Amino acid sequence: MAKQKNVYFFGEGKTEGDARMKDVLGGKGANLAEMTNLGIPVPPGFTISTGVCAAYYQNKEHYPQGIKEEVEINLKKLEQVMKKRLGDPDDPLLVSVRSGAAVSMPGMMDTILNLGMNDRAVKGLAGKTGNLRFAWDAYRRFIQMYGDVVMGVEHELFEEALTAAKKSKNVELDTGLAAADLEKLVGEYKKIVRKSKSKDFPQDPLEQLWGAINAVFGSWMNERAIKYRQLNDIRNLKGTAVTVQTMVFGNFGEDSGTGVCFSRDPSTGKNEFYGEYLMNAQGEDVVAGIRTPEQISALEKEDPAIYKQLVGIKNRLEKHFRDMQDLEFTVQQGKLFLLQTRNGKRAGSAAVKCAVDMVAEGLISKETAILRVTPGHLDQLLHPMIDPGAQKLAKSITKGLNASPGAASGKIVFSAKEAEIWHERGEKVLLVRKETSPEDIGGMVVSQGVLTSTGGMTSHAAVVARGMGTPCVAGAKGVTVQGNTTAIIGDKTFKEGDWITIDGSTGDVYEGQLPLVAPNISKDVNTFLKWCDEVRNKAIRGKIKGFDIRTNADQPEDAKRAFDFGAQGIGLCRTEHMFFDKEKLIHFRSMIVAETEEERKEQLKKILPLQQKDFFGIFKAMEGRPVTIRLLDPPLHEFVPHTKEEIDELAAHLNVSSDSLLPKIERLAEANPMLGHRGCRLAVTYPEIYDMQVEAIAQASVECVKQKLPVNVEIMIPIVVTARELKLLKPNAEKVLEKIFGEAGVKVPVKIGTMIEVPRAALRSAHIAKYADFFSFGTNDLTQMTFGFSRDDVTSFLPTYLQKNVLDVDPFKSIDQDGVGGLVELAIREGRSVKPDLKIGICGEHGGDPVSIDFFFRAGLSYVSCSPFRVPLARLAGAQAVINNAGKNIKGGESAKTGKPTAAKVIGSNKPAKGEKKMAVTSAKPAAKKPAAKKPAAKKPAAKKPAAKKPAAKKPAAKKPAAKKPAAKKPAAAKKPAAKKPAAKKPAAK
Ligand code: ADP
Ligand code: MG
Ligand code: MG
């Protein structure tokens, strides 16, 4: 068996690794090797591979054979290069033992400095350097760090001893302690170790070394690191590498120092050298914040030669890595050393600015630029957020689901009605409820944000808030709403009118009013998103050209906003919202309690002109882009009046007694409304409902034609389970269209398609395709019905499923690629086996999820449709999908029968920048199964046709965009959203 290499040396021309070996050496180790290769001054050392960490854990925390020897051979090598020996009483070598995984996890794992110090080495170091104070300081730092990290001595104990020493000398800073004080302190420290661990601080350098290596490998599995990986969806890493590296000392005196810097400003992206340093300090001092560091610009005056050298190195590294670098450096007695370089973490605005600038500088291609910006970055840009400084200081009092991104502050109100009343008075309110329902929409619209104690990512509150771009924290278990007057949040009771702040991007809830800062939407963001559009438009999969982003919008203002954000059409216009409008609702209710078809038609006639007006408004706002209108979908049950007031109101309207309505209302009740009388089933039983809607669509189209406005309508029939439903319903619709268009003497081509949202429809899609002009996947229902999980009730078990790894991700958030995705693929294949260029889209919540978008691209969908605020994010995620899948074999609409998959390609794809490696793009790889990237959201123009108009982008800080208010001052219930929650849920009764 060939012996596996586990340890890689770097330094003095003996480098064995390089930047490509991150998987093996960790990011830190790989880049230390790379810098060494580039001739940049790096203290020599060696890196133990991540594979050893993996083996260590697989092997019940035992090392694989041969590791000890390999490490010791490399240590010898290091001693030869440095001409010093670990523990040498005359001239000791000191090393650091550093952690580093393939993906950087700053500060999450352990590092030990000054290793090799002991009672004899301290004297050797003092003698060799002629700096007694420095030697004792190094020793006491080592005991403190090693004692804490490796031996598990309580950190506080050392701090107390240090404070006492400073006190007795009457000095404030460590630097005030003299050599003798530090020597004494070392004695104290050793006592502390002995007392708390019943053993002496180890003097043997090799014992120290292995103790430190164990600790670093051990830190891979510490709670902090595990949590960090969870929170950041870091999976499938082997473990951490361990780098043992010669120490250099920034605390040697006034000609020494240490610092951290970025090649560009990580919060704005400006091409300005940015960073901080401290003279006469060791690395951890900068982080610990004991002394305030200087701005890097000050170094130019303090030490121009070092500054110049540092600038040269950062420029070189940035060019080399073609990305903004985050550097650690140390100056020892006027000599500069680099200790780390990595691609710098950056804020959203900086990500876009760096990407756009670097393309202009010829450093990277547009494709690379697109992959550099994550959906999370874009998300940050499009919503107000809590001032980062304030957020750092604030303490979250409870946490729920990060249901709709952005931050909001407001005075607590407990009902939608109160929200509106307070809003009228000019107050900023935050709606706090157990859950929300369609009745609450008016109050949600005027609220800064919404906080609920129950419900999941697709609960009513979450879906509607995302649609409106209102920040929302849902399902916060730490919130108990007590009637309409108080709520316990965390462990404190809040009254109506108390201020709270929520962060819908993290799910955190804070007491009081935290300052918010405005999203920063720049010209760069526009430019960037246009590049994304270019990439998507050029994508070709089989017969499918382009990969469009549409939006789900039911109101002209929503539609308008979505275009400003760059939507290419409406993929889902729900019509039930129109029925919930107060004016129409009464007619609709009258219709459902009517006994005869005649009566029903009578009532529907009254709704017709109102719907027609709604449609006309949308067509006009669409300016000729496709609009997919879904005919009535929700259960009839949801329209049935339930409360006494509602029944009385209806009775009065119909001029009958309330009692006479009751039997009819009772008959309409359903045990499982979501599986009951809904969607096209309503039209099979009552054809006049869809007839009326189609007529309204036709009349609105005629009006457009008369006003010379372009119109592009697609009618979509929901909840289809069999081709025969369409066979029955499509001709009905066509008859109405023909009649209206005939009477008006106009011709408007109208496509009639169907939703695929019931598993049976997916299975029977070859048959259904015969009658459908297009398909659109309703992935919310399809997920609900495939899993048999009621999406309104998942919060009672889904969190546990995720926690126990029964499921990887919330299937309502990110498409279940194996199960639901399998149905999607099947339906596409079958549908296109009948109609090879069948247009197929998706209009569920998943249309705004980056990982799902990647899947949908690969599956061959023509477009995804998402809520207006997610459009910019989808534009990016769609482009990333195109780039990441370039060259892969994608069954882009090939028929299952002729079945030759064709490679997806980007025509005339962007060339790599000069010298840039092709596909050197490693950043935002949507590994087929990474769960939902950050939160998406949106807010950015880049219209398709008319020269982009700036959106009524979210105003600074806390201000609500006018666009969020309901159209005119309509009655509260003006905008009923996706009605979902069945009012009554009977237990599965016998
Ligand atoms: P982290 O990943 O938490 O940043 P590092 O391994 O980078 O941990 O080390 C923490 C600090 O110690 C950094 O400031 C680093 O510059 C410093 N440091 C690490 N190794 C050495 C060394 N060989 N000489 C001097 N300083 C070092
Ligand atoms: Mg570091
Ligand atoms: Mg549906």
Side-chain angles (χ1 to χ4, degrees):
M1 204 167 78
K3 216 173 132 244
Q4 200 184 336
K5 188 170 175 58
N6 292 305
V7 183
Y8 295 76
F9 193 81
F10 59 91
E12 317 281 298
K14 296 211 173 112
T15 304
E16 296 173 326
D18 61 42
R20 289 168 304 185
M21 296 175 66
K22 289 201 170 68
D23 283 346
V24 181
L25 302 178
K28 198 180 286 169
N31 280 356
L32 284 170
E34 186 81 2
M35 285 197 287
T36 307
N37 285 333
L38 291 170
I40 289 169
V42 169
F46 54 87
T47 300
I48 308 169
S49 76
T50 56
V52 174
C53 183
Y56 176 76
Y57 280 106
Q58 271 159 23
N59 209 4
K60 301 207 177 92
E61 307 191 12
H62 290 296
Y63 292 109
Q65 261 193 350
I67 294 295
K68 294 242 164 193
E69 294 73 14
E70 221 179 322
V71 166
E72 278 157 32
I73 289 168
N74 276 274
L75 179 61
K76 282 261 144 53
K77 224 193 251 181
L78 183 61
E79 289 176 334
Q80 273 160 20
V81 165
M82 297 311 299
K83 303 194 176 67
K84 287 173 199 265
R85 274 188 316 109
L86 205 62
D88 188 330
D90 296 324
D91 183 12
L93 171 70
L94 298 185
V95 295
S96 63
V97 178
R98 315 176 66 185
S99 53
V103 177
S104 121
M105 301 166 46
M108 292 301 129
M109 292 180 295
D110 294 329
T111 285
I112 289 126
L113 303 181
N114 303 349
L115 189 137
M117 269 301 193
N118 59 23
D119 294 349
R120 297 198 304 161
V122 67
K123 296 197 175 118
L125 188 68
K128 191 74 194 173
T129 58
N131 190 337
L132 197 62
R133 187 197 175 277
F134 161 74
W136 282 106
D137 190 41
Y139 194 13
R140 77 97 196 151
R141 282 176 192 258
F142 176 53
I143 300 177
Q144 183 162 350
M145 222 177 210
Y146 193 95
D148 170 15
V149 171
V150 181
M151 303 181 78
V153 179
E154 220 176 303
H155 176 75
E156 278 305 306
L157 298 174
F158 294 123
E159 285 298 329
E160 279 163 20
L162 178 60
T163 311
K166 284 192 282 191
K167 218 174 199 168
S168 77
K169 281 277 141 183
N170 209 8
V171 295
E172 275 201 20
L173 298 177
D174 305 2
T175 40
L177 296 175
D181 306 324
L182 292 164
E183 182 175 354
K184 222 173 105 199
L185 193 55
V186 163
E188 294 289 320
Y189 276 11
K190 286 201 279 192
K191 271 190 223 148
I192 290 171
V193 170
R194 194 176 311 125
K195 200 165 154 210
S196 79
K197 291 290 142 188
S198 316
K199 64 175 176 199
D200 283 327
F201 188 80
Q203 293 289 318
D204 174 8
L206 267 186
E207 185 190 340
Q208 293 175 355
L209 180 63
W210 282 104
I213 293 172
N214 292 344
V216 172
F217 280 137
S219 69
W220 175 249
M221 284 297 184
N222 73 26
E223 229 170 89
R224 219 172 37 202
I226 292 173
K227 189 95 205 160
Y228 184 89
R229 291 195 290 274
Q230 250 169 23
L231 286 175
N232 293 282
D233 282 328
I234 300 172
R235 296 168 187 229
N236 306 325
L237 291 189
K238 283 196 217 145
T240 182
V242 174
T243 295
V244 176
Q245 187 178 23
T246 308
M247 281 302 299
V248 286
F249 298 98
N251 53 336
F252 207 85
E254 289 309 318
D255 57 353
S256 303
T258 186
V260 172
C261 53
F262 292 81
S263 60
R264 303 188 187 212
D265 187 324
S267 50
T268 64
K270 280 204 190 115
N271 194 354
E272 285 165 3
F273 193 24
Y274 178 94
E276 295 176 337
Y277 74 99
L278 263 180
M279 292 315 275
N280 198 6
Q282 219 173 16
E284 74 263 22
D285 299 344
V286 180
V287 188
I290 311 168
R291 284 152 59 197
T292 312
E294 301 281 343
Q295 292 302 308
I296 200 77
S297 51
L299 184 62
E300 189 169 13
K301 278 185 217 99
E302 199 157 349
D303 194 335
I306 290 285
Y307 183 77
K308 202 171 149 218
Q309 192 191 353
L310 187 60
V311 168
I313 288 174
K314 73 102 180 152
N315 285 339
R316 198 158 154 224
L317 287 172
E318 190 181 274
K319 273 224 173 70
H320 182 74
F321 288 106
R322 293 172 190 276
D323 201 351
M324 183 246 277
Q325 295 299 298
D326 166 354
L327 309 166
E328 285 175 10
F329 67 92
T330 284
V331 180
Q332 179 177 333
Q333 294 181 292
K335 195 165 172 330
L336 176 66
F337 294 93
L338 269 288
L339 288 168
Q340 189 169 346
T341 188
R342 63 184 158 203
N343 296 339
K345 290 218 183 341
R346 61 208 75 181
S349 48
V352 174
K353 176 140 183 66
C354 283
V356 171
D357 284 356
M358 286 183 183
V359 169
E361 292 161 25
L363 212 53
I364 58 174
S365 67
K366 287 182 186 173
E367 286 174 325
T368 303
I370 288 169
L371 295 179
R372 285 270 170 86
V373 177
T374 65
H377 282 141
L378 208 52
D379 185 43
Q380 279 177 29
L381 284 183
L382 304 168
H383 289 279
M385 45 185 193
I386 298 174
D387 183 274
Q391 189 157 23
K392 229 179 239 164
L393 299 175
K395 205 170 156 277
S396 162
I397 51 174
T398 191
K399 198 170 169 129
L401 300 170
N402 48 352
S404 177
S409 284
K411 293 184 176 171
I412 296 177
V413 289
F414 295 106
S415 76
K417 209 160 161 196
E418 284 303 316
E420 288 180 72
I421 295 169
W422 286 58
H423 174 74
E424 277 300 306
R425 274 195 251 140
E427 305 264 21
K428 282 189 181 131
V429 294
L430 205 139
L431 184 61
V432 178
R433 291 188 60 74
K434 182 162 182 291
E435 60 189 352
T436 62
S437 68
E439 285 77 35
D440 296 329
I441 187 75
M444 293 177 74
V445 165
V446 299
S447 294
Q448 304 298 312
V450 178
L451 169 63
T452 67
S453 59
T454 61
M457 292 300 286
T458 53
S459 64
H460 178 266
V463 173
V464 173
R466 278 198 294 275
M468 299 191 306
T470 298
C472 173
V473 172
K477 291 215 175 74
V479 175
T480 313
V481 179
Q482 302 172 312
N484 266 353
T485 53
T486 55
I488 300 171
I489 306 179
D491 44 22
K492 216 184 138 181
T493 303
F494 288 77
K495 302 186 305 298
E496 187 179 57
D498 289 344
W499 280 92
I500 54 168
T501 301
I502 60 169
D503 186 340
S505 311
T506 62
D508 283 303
V509 181
Y510 302 90
E511 180 175 1
Q513 184 183 18
L514 297 188
L516 306 184
V517 292
N520 176 8
I521 298 164
S522 60
K523 218 176 88 215
D524 288 330
V525 176
N526 261 322
T527 305
F528 177 78
L529 286 171
K530 289 233 174 74
W531 293 346
C532 293
D533 296 343
E534 281 167 21
V535 165
R536 287 197 330 279
N537 291 340
K538 284 182 197 152
I540 290 192
R541 292 157 295 161
K543 285 188 162 31
I544 310 303
K545 295 199 172 59
F547 184 43
D548 287 357
I549 307 301
R550 292 199 189 180
T551 190
N552 301 347
D554 319 329
Q555 310 281 335
E557 322 93 87
D558 288 350
K560 190 86 197 37
R561 179 161 45 205
F563 297 140
D564 289 342
F565 290 164
Q568 293 161 285
I570 289 183
L572 173 63
C573 175
R574 303 176 175 98
T575 52
E576 56 269 26
H577 301 195
M578 300 176 182
F579 290 101
F580 274 110
D581 177 312
K582 260 231 144 78
E583 223 181 323
K584 291 165 222 167
L585 186 59
I586 194 78
H587 299 307
F588 198 76
R589 283 184 169 156
S590 306
M591 186 218 64
I592 54 182
V593 297
E595 295 294 342
T596 67
E597 188 185 327
E598 282 317 300
E599 277 176 57
R600 278 198 299 275
K601 282 190 172 159
E602 201 55 39
Q603 295 296 342
L604 285 168
K605 240 189 228 150
K606 296 180 188 152
I607 302 176
L608 176 82
L610 300 167
Q611 279 238 305
Q612 186 180 327
K613 208 171 112 213
D614 289 332
F615 288 136
F616 178 73
I618 285 175
F619 295 164
K620 196 170 157 193
M622 291 304 302
E623 297 172 345
R625 296 176 186 85
V627 186
T628 308
I629 295 172
R630 178 175 74 186
L631 300 181
L632 194 64
D633 177 57
L636 208 52
H637 177 97
E638 290 192 12
F639 297 96
V640 176
H642 293 292
T643 66
K644 184 163 176 338
E645 288 108 76
E646 285 169 348
I647 296 170
D648 290 345
E649 186 192 20
L650 181 61
H653 180 78
L654 293 172
N655 219 351
V656 299
S657 75
S658 293
D659 284 349
S660 70
L661 285 176
L662 291 177
K664 179 82 197 183
I665 287 171
E666 221 152 82
R667 247 182 294 140
L668 287 167
E670 290 182 299
N672 279 315
M674 289 312 277
L675 301 176
H677 200 183
R678 64 176 290 212
C680 70
R681 296 163 208 169
L682 289 168
V684 172
T685 51
Y686 304 133
E688 54 277 8
I689 299 179
Y690 279 13
D691 286 352
M692 180 280 289
Q693 290 198 288
V694 174
E695 183 174 345
I697 291 167
Q699 296 286 18
S701 306
V702 168
E703 209 174 320
C704 285
V705 174
K706 282 190 187 147
Q707 295 191 24
K708 299 208 162 38
L709 297 170
V711 55
N712 186 349
V713 200
E714 301 169 346
I715 293 176
M716 181 156 82
I717 299 181
I719 305 288
V720 162
V721 300
T722 161
R724 288 198 232 171
E725 285 164 329
L726 276 186
K727 196 175 164 191
L728 178 71
L729 299 174
K730 198 178 177 214
N732 282 357
E734 283 164 343
K735 229 171 22 215
V736 177
L737 291 172
E738 255 163 52
K739 176 168 167 278
I740 306 298
F741 293 153
E743 282 168 10
V746 301
K747 268 211 172 84
V748 182
V750 177
K751 289 199 178 88
I752 301 177
T754 184
M755 291 189 77
I756 303 290
E757 54 187 334
V758 180
R760 189 179 196 283
L763 294 166
R764 300 296 291 169
S765 50
H767 297 266
I768 291 173
K770 286 185 212 146
Y771 302 97
D773 296 334
F774 63 89
F775 282 176
S776 176
F777 288 100
T779 50
N780 293 345
D781 266 315
L782 192 58
T783 299
Q784 169 161 275
M785 296 194 217
T786 302
F787 277 82
F789 288 176
S790 155
R791 65 178 151 137
D792 297 301
D793 304 306
V794 286
T795 40
S796 51
F797 57 89
L798 193 59
T800 315
Y801 266 59
L802 297 174
Q803 196 197 331
K804 295 193 172 171
N805 275 326
V806 179
L807 286 175
D808 279 342
V809 287
D810 177 348
F812 291 101
K813 202 166 141 190
S814 197
I815 192 95
D816 157 46
Q817 299 186 13
D818 300 332
V820 179
L823 286 173
V824 168
E825 284 172 329
L826 171 80
I828 294 172
R829 203 163 58 229
E830 294 280 300
R832 288 197 179 137
S833 72
V834 175
K835 292 183 177 163
D837 53 358
L838 187 68
K839 186 164 218 169
I840 309 182
I842 172 260
C843 60
E845 279 290 302
H846 303 93
D849 169 61
V851 178
S852 306
I853 290 173
D854 184 73
F855 171 79
F856 293 136
F857 177 78
R858 283 183 280 119
L861 287 191
S862 317
Y863 67 85
V864 299
S865 186
C866 57
S867 69
F869 290 93
R870 286 194 175 197
V871 166
L873 189 123
R875 289 163 74 192
L876 168 62
Q880 290 182 336
V882 174
I883 295 167
N884 282 325
N885 293 298
K888 277 187 206 159
N889 274 350
I890 288 182
K891 301 177 238 102
E894 295 299 315
S895 90
K897 292 183 185 113
T898 60
K900 258 194 235 118
T902 44
K905 56 185 172 207
V906 183
I907 309 182
S909 106
N910 295 301
K911 284 187 218 82
K914 226 200 291 157
E916 184 188 24
K917 270 177 259 123
K918 215 164 181 167
M919 296 318 288
V921 284
T922 46
S923 34
K925 207 194 303 159
K929 234 160 233 197
K930 213 168 97 199
K934 267 288 169 89
K935 213 71 316 154
K939 213 139 262 221
K940 146 72 350 31
K944 280 260 82 183
K945 293 194 178 161
K949 251 179 262 149
K950 269 256 156 140
K954 225 159 199 172
K955 305 278 149 51
K959 251 197 139 183
K960 270 249 155 158
K964 267 192 185 172
K965 289 218 199 115
K969 272 252 146 59
K970 272 197 222 153
K975 290 195 204 170
K976 288 274 168 164
K980 275 183 333 161
K981 193 97 197 173
K985 245 182 252 154
K986 281 213 234 147
K990 279 276 132 72

